[in-house]
Amino acid sequence: MEIRELRPEELRRVCDPQQFSFKSTEELTELSEIIGQERATRAIDFGIEMPCQGYNIYALGPSGSGRATAIKEFLQRKASSGKVPDSWAYVNNFDDPYQPRAVRLPSDEGCTIRDEMDELLEVLREELFRAFESEQYQQHYNRIGRKLDEARTAKFQGLEAQMIERGFALLRTPMGLVIAPVIDGEVLSREQYEKLAPEKKSDLEKYRPDLQAELEKTLREVRELEREAKEELRHVDQETADYTIGHHFEALRSKYPDLEGLLQFLDAVREDILAKVEQFKKPPASKGKAPSDEDPFAFMARFRRSPFEKYRINVIVDNCDVQGAPVVEDGNPTYHNLLGRIEHRAEFGTLVTDYGAIKAGSVHRANGGYLIIEALDLLRSPLAWEGLKRALRNSEIKIEEMAQQLGLIATASLAPEPIPLEVKVVLIGDPQTYYLLYSLDEDFQELFKVKADFAVDMDWTSDNLEKVALFVHDRCQDENLRHFDLEAVAKIVEYASRLVEDQEKLTTRFGHLNDTVHEANYWASRNGHDLVTAADVQRAIEEKVYRANQIEVRIREQIEKGLIMVDTEGEVVGQVNGLSIINLGDYYFGRPSRITAQTFMGSKGVVNIEREAKMSGSIHDKGVMILSGYLGGKYAQDKPMNLSASICFEQSYGPVDGDSASSTELYALLSRLSGLPIKQGIAVTGSVNQRGEVQPVGGVTKKIEGFFDVCRIKGLAGGQGVIVPERNVKNLMLRDDVVEAVREGRFHVYPVSTIDEGIAILTGRDAGERQEDGTYPEGTVDYLVDKQLAQLAIKLKDFGKKDEEEAKEEDS
C-alpha cells in the first residue's frame, strides 16, 4: 500500500499580496456592510423594513464576532436616510397634577419651544408685577376700595343713627361689634346698667332685639359689599393680567397653529394664571439675592418654588440635533434606564416630585428608530425584560415606579400619560439564550420574529479578502493607527484563516482581528516602522500566544523530564500517541497522550477503563463501543469473537470526552492483537466508524503543532509525524516552523481515509485485504489479528471443555 505524505503547500494556505487589487491600504474606501454576514444582513434588513408589530430582531452568534459594532454601524447607515422622529415632552395637568400629559413636538423644534416657553415665563414674571404696580391699576384698586369704604360707612352710619335715636350706641371691640345703652351721651358700663331703675331697663331692653337684628342685617350687607368689591377687584386683576399676557400667548399660538397638544397646554396655562392671579402680584425674586437674615424664616425661601415652575415644558426627548432615525445602544438596560424614571427631591424631610422630574429612558430616545441591547444584560436586570415586552406588546411607553410594579408601596405617585411607541429592538446574544427564550417565553416568539444568525466564518474569496483589508483600513483610519503594508494585510488574512482552521474560510470574529491590528501597531511603533509590516503582525500573534501558553509550556517541560511519559522514538506493541485538545477558554492547545491496549482471553469485549472509572463522557464511550462493531464486522464473520480487551488513556487525571481518539485506540488494539509494534514517533488523531473509515475531527492544526513541539524538545529524528484524517487536510493552517520542518523532511503529516492506511503507516506492514476464501494474505496485519482472534476463541472453548471435564470428575 502506497503511503501518501502531505506536501508543504498543502499544510497552509498562503495569502499572496500580489492578488490584492490595490497597491496600499490607504487607497481603500470605507466599508459599507457587515463583512461575511450576508444571511444576517438580509435578516436585519428584512426586520427593520417590516412595518408590522413583532418583527424585532435577535442577533445571535459567537462573542468576539463584532456583532454589536457591525450592527450599530449597519443601522446607522440605514437610519441616516430615515425620518427624524418627533420630540416628546411632559407638561402639567392642571386638572390632575398626578397624571402629567404627554405632548408631541416637532423633531427640530422641541428644544426651541421649550426655550421660548421659558423666555415667555420670564417675561410674564416681570410684566405681571409691573402691571399690578402700575398707576392705572392702582387707580382701579383705589376706586374699588373707596367705593367699598363709602358704602360700608353709609351702612354703619345709618345703623348708628337708629341706635342713638333709641338710646343705644354701636361699639367696636376685639370681639366684634356690640350694642351698648347710652344715657346723656355716655355709654353705660355693666355696673352702671345694673344700677338703673327697672322701668328704665325695661324701656331700653324693648329696643335691643330689633337693633340686634338690624346690626346683623347690616353686617350681612357689608359682607356682601366686600364680596362684590373683592369680586370686582378680582375681575380687574384678571383683566389686567389677561391684557398683560394675552398677546404673548397669542403670538406663541400663532407660531405653532398645528400643534394641538401645545395649544391646549398654552390655553390651560393662561387659564390657570388668570384663576390664580393673586400668586403673581408679589415682586419677582432677584436672582442671586440671598435671603435676609432678619427674617426668621428666610432659610425657607431657598426651598420655595416659583409659581411659574408648573408652567414649564419638560422635554424628555429632544431630537433637535438628531440626523435621521436614532440608533441607541443601551449598555446598562435596567428597568429605569430602559423605560424612564420619576426622580424625587427632598423638601423638609419629605421626598416630593412633579412632572418636571420625569426622565426619559433609552426606549424613549430610540422611539422612531432602533434600540440595541445585549440580551444577557437585559435578562439579568429585574423587571427590565418584562417592562420591555409590555412596551412592545402595547406599542406604548408607560413610566412607572419599580416599587409599584412589585406592589411594595401604595402611596400616591405620578402616573404620566403613556407615549406611543414605534421602535425596532435588536437583541444581541448567544444561540443558547435565543433557543431558551424561544422555548420558554411565548412573548418572545411573538415579539422577536426575526433571527439574524451571525456565521463564525466566510469563504476565502477575492471579495472577502478585500473586505478584510477594508476592515484593517477602517480600524487604522478611525482610530488613528499606522496603516498596514500589503504583506502585513496578507498576514492578517492568513491569521483569519488560521483562527477557523480552514484553508477555504476566513473568520468573522473581527474582535480578534481588531486586537491583532492594535497589537501589531504597538510593535510597529516599538520597532520604529512608519507602516505596519508582516513581521510586526507575526510578533503580535506570537506575543499573544506567549501571554497565554504558560500551562502548555509546563506540560511540555514535564514531558521532557519524563514526568509525563510520551515516547517519540522506538516501537512498542499496543501503545500509540493520541492527540487531544486542552481548552483554557482564551487559549487552547494540543498535547500528546499515551494510549495503551491490553488483550486477554475472555468474553467481556472492549473495556474502556475511563468509563469504568466514571471519567469519560458519553461521546468518548460511544467511540469505544464502535471499536467492538468494527472488530466484529471484520473478523467475526466465520467465528465467535471471544475477546477481552482494556483501553486506557495513561496518566489521565481528569474527564475525557470526544471521539477523536477512537482511531488511535483501534490502532493500539490491532497492534496488541497482531503483536506488531507501533512507531512511537507517529501520533494519531481521528475518529472511526464501524466500517473502518477515518472521520474528520476538530483542532487538527493545534494537535499537529502540539506534537511537533514535543518532538522538537525531545529531538527531531526525521521519522516523527502525525496521522490525520484525509478530510481534515483543508483544515490545516500550520505555523511556518512546522511547514519548514515538513519541507526539510524532519517532520511528516500523513492523511488517511481508512484504518488500513493508518495501521500500515504505524507498523510498516500492509493491512491486507480479504481474499476470496475469506482469509487474509499471510504476514499482513489483518492476517495476524484474525489468527489471534481465532486462537483466543479456540482456547476459550477448550478451556471451557476442560472445566466441564474436571467438574464431572469431581462429581463422580
Side-chain angles (χ1 to χ4, degrees), residues 402-624:
M402 184 182 291
Q404 289 180 316
Q405 287 288 311
L406 295 172
L408 299 179
I409 58 174
T411 57
S413 183
L414 296 184
E417 181 182 359
I419 291 176
L421 176 63
E422 184 179 351
V423 69
K424 290 291 184 179
V425 178
V426 181
L427 289 183
I428 300 176
D430 58 274
Q432 183 180 8
T433 302
Y434 172 83
Y435 293 115
L436 284 174
L437 287 173
Y438 194 88
S439 301
L440 303 176
D441 193 330
E442 293 182 359
D443 293 332
F444 179 79
Q445 301 178 25
E446 295 299 321
L447 297 175
F448 290 86
K449 297 181 179 180
V450 180
K451 178 175 73 172
D453 199 348
F454 277 69
V456 297
D457 55 36
M458 59 185 177
D459 293 335
W460 182 319
T461 63
S462 56
D463 288 342
N464 286 337
L465 286 183
E466 187 160 339
K467 290 173 183 176
V468 174
L470 283 167
F471 171 81
V472 175
H473 165 266
D474 285 358
R475 297 285 72 76
C476 297
Q477 193 78 18
D478 296 344
E479 303 180 38
N480 197 26
L481 305 177
R482 289 171 174 78
H483 279 281
F484 283 50
D485 64 24
L486 294 188
E487 291 185 356
V489 175
K491 183 64 71 173
I492 289 288
V493 171
E494 291 179 19
Y495 182 59
S497 183
R498 177 175 167 82
L499 287 176
V500 292
E501 295 188 19
D502 196 322
Q503 297 178 5
E504 300 173 359
K505 299 285 185 179
L506 298 171
T507 186
T508 57
R509 302 180 73 171
F510 288 93
H512 297 306
L513 298 186
N514 184 55
D515 294 341
T516 305
V517 168
H518 281 82
E519 293 168 20
N521 179 78
Y522 167 78
W523 290 110
S525 173
R526 285 280 299 268
N527 296 329
H529 297 161
D530 294 330
L531 294 175
V532 179
T533 66
D536 298 322
V537 176
Q538 185 61 37
R539 178 68 183 275
I541 295 172
E542 291 173 354
E543 289 291 329
K544 182 181 293 186
V545 171
Y546 179 77
R547 293 193 298 269
N549 73 343
Q550 182 169 232
I551 294 178
E552 180 185 16
V553 172
R554 293 291 183 266
I555 290 175
R556 284 205 300 265
E557 289 177 354
Q558 290 182 332
I559 292 175
E560 183 180 14
K561 295 175 181 179
L563 300 176
I564 297 178
M565 294 184 290
V566 174
D567 294 332
T568 58
E569 292 182 296
E571 297 180 348
V572 180
V573 174
Q575 177 176 299
V576 189
N577 287 324
L579 298 174
S580 59
I581 290 291
I582 295 179
N583 193 335
L584 303 177
D586 62 334
Y587 181 74
Y588 69 100
F589 59 93
R591 61 155 289 185
S593 299
R594 175 179 290 179
I595 297 176
T596 60
Q598 289 289 352
T599 60
F600 38 88
M601 193 167 61
S603 56
K604 289 185 177 181
V606 180
V607 176
N608 177 12
I609 292 179
E610 271 72 30
R611 179 184 180 185
E612 298 300 316
K614 297 181 180 180
M615 294 173 60
S616 66
S618 57
I619 298 176
H620 181 255
D621 293 341
K622 175 187 174 184
V624 174

Side-chain angles (χ1 to χ4, degrees), residues 84-372:
V84 180
D86 293 329
S87 297
W88 282 94
Y90 274 106
V91 297
N92 194 8
N93 182 353
F94 300 103
D95 296 330
D96 186 358
Y98 287 103
Q99 296 183 353
R101 289 179 175 168
V103 177
R104 186 192 296 267
L105 302 175
S107 59
D108 57 343
E109 295 179 339
C111 53
T112 303
I113 293 173
R114 176 195 59 204
D115 295 342
E116 288 179 347
M117 190 65 186
D118 289 344
E119 292 174 4
L120 172 61
L121 295 178
E122 291 300 320
V123 170
L124 297 183
R125 185 198 305 267
E126 299 291 338
E127 291 195 2
L128 281 174
F129 175 70
R130 285 200 298 267
F132 289 120
E133 291 293 316
S134 66
E135 182 178 349
Q136 183 179 6
Y137 174 80
Q138 293 298 327
Q139 289 176 355
H140 285 294
Y141 183 88
N142 294 333
R143 177 182 59 78
I144 295 172
R146 285 195 301 272
K147 180 180 176 182
L148 174 63
D149 289 340
E150 290 173 357
R152 187 164 46 199
T153 300
K155 290 286 184 182
F156 283 120
Q157 285 177 350
L159 178 62
E160 286 179 347
Q162 293 182 36
M163 289 186 177
I164 291 173
E165 209 177 289
R166 297 177 182 179
F168 283 87
L170 184 65
L171 300 179
R172 291 177 175 82
T173 70
M175 303 300 293
L177 296 174
V178 296
I179 300 173
V182 177
I183 296 178
D184 298 332
E186 181 181 354
V187 177
L188 300 180
S189 65
R190 180 173 293 276
E191 291 77 10
Q192 291 173 331
Y193 178 76
E194 292 296 333
K195 294 178 181 180
L196 292 177
E199 296 81 6
K200 187 64 175 175
K201 288 182 181 180
S202 177
D203 290 340
L204 291 173
E205 287 299 326
K206 67 180 180 181
Y207 296 113
R208 184 182 290 274
D210 294 337
L211 292 176
Q212 185 66 36
E214 195 65 29
L215 173 60
E216 292 176 357
K217 177 183 175 183
T218 302
L219 289 175
R220 286 196 300 270
E221 291 174 349
V222 168
R223 283 195 293 269
E224 181 64 20
L225 289 173
E226 291 175 346
R227 188 192 64 77
E228 291 175 355
K230 186 176 181 180
E231 187 64 29
E232 185 178 358
L233 182 60
R234 178 182 176 80
H235 184 67
V236 171
D237 288 346
Q238 290 179 338
E239 285 185 342
T240 303
D242 195 28
Y243 178 79
T244 304
I245 68 176
H247 63 283
H248 292 294
F249 279 94
E250 290 302 324
L252 198 56
R253 284 177 57 87
S254 63
K255 191 173 181 180
Y256 305 102
D258 299 328
L259 301 183
E260 183 178 352
L262 178 63
L263 296 180
Q264 292 177 354
F265 173 65
L266 292 176
D267 291 343
V269 170
R270 184 173 179 176
E271 291 175 4
D272 193 72
I273 290 177
L274 297 179
K276 301 172 182 176
V277 68
E278 283 292 329
Q279 298 178 3
F280 309 102
K281 296 172 70 173
K282 300 175 183 179
S286 300
K287 294 182 179 179
K289 183 178 179 181
S292 172
D293 293 336
E294 298 177 0
D295 184 359
F297 299 102
F299 75 95
M300 297 176 61
R302 67 189 64 176
F303 299 106
R304 190 178 300 124
R305 306 192 76 200
S306 167
F308 288 95
E309 289 299 316
K310 60 184 175 181
Y311 304 133
R312 298 192 184 278
I313 297 176
N314 177 20
V315 178
I316 64 169
V317 178
D318 179 10
N319 290 324
C320 293
D321 299 326
V322 175
Q323 302 295 326
V327 179
V328 178
E329 184 177 12
D330 195 334
N332 184 26
T334 63
Y335 177 83
H336 290 307
N337 287 352
L338 271 177
L339 301 172
R341 63 188 183 277
I342 302 171
E343 295 181 342
H344 295 73
R345 62 181 179 275
E347 289 186 2
F348 304 105
T350 304
L351 293 177
V352 297
T353 188
D354 56 33
Y355 77 96
I358 299 174
K359 304 299 179 183
S362 57
V363 177
H364 293 89
R365 294 190 295 274
N367 198 6
Y370 312 98
L371 176 61
I372 305 172

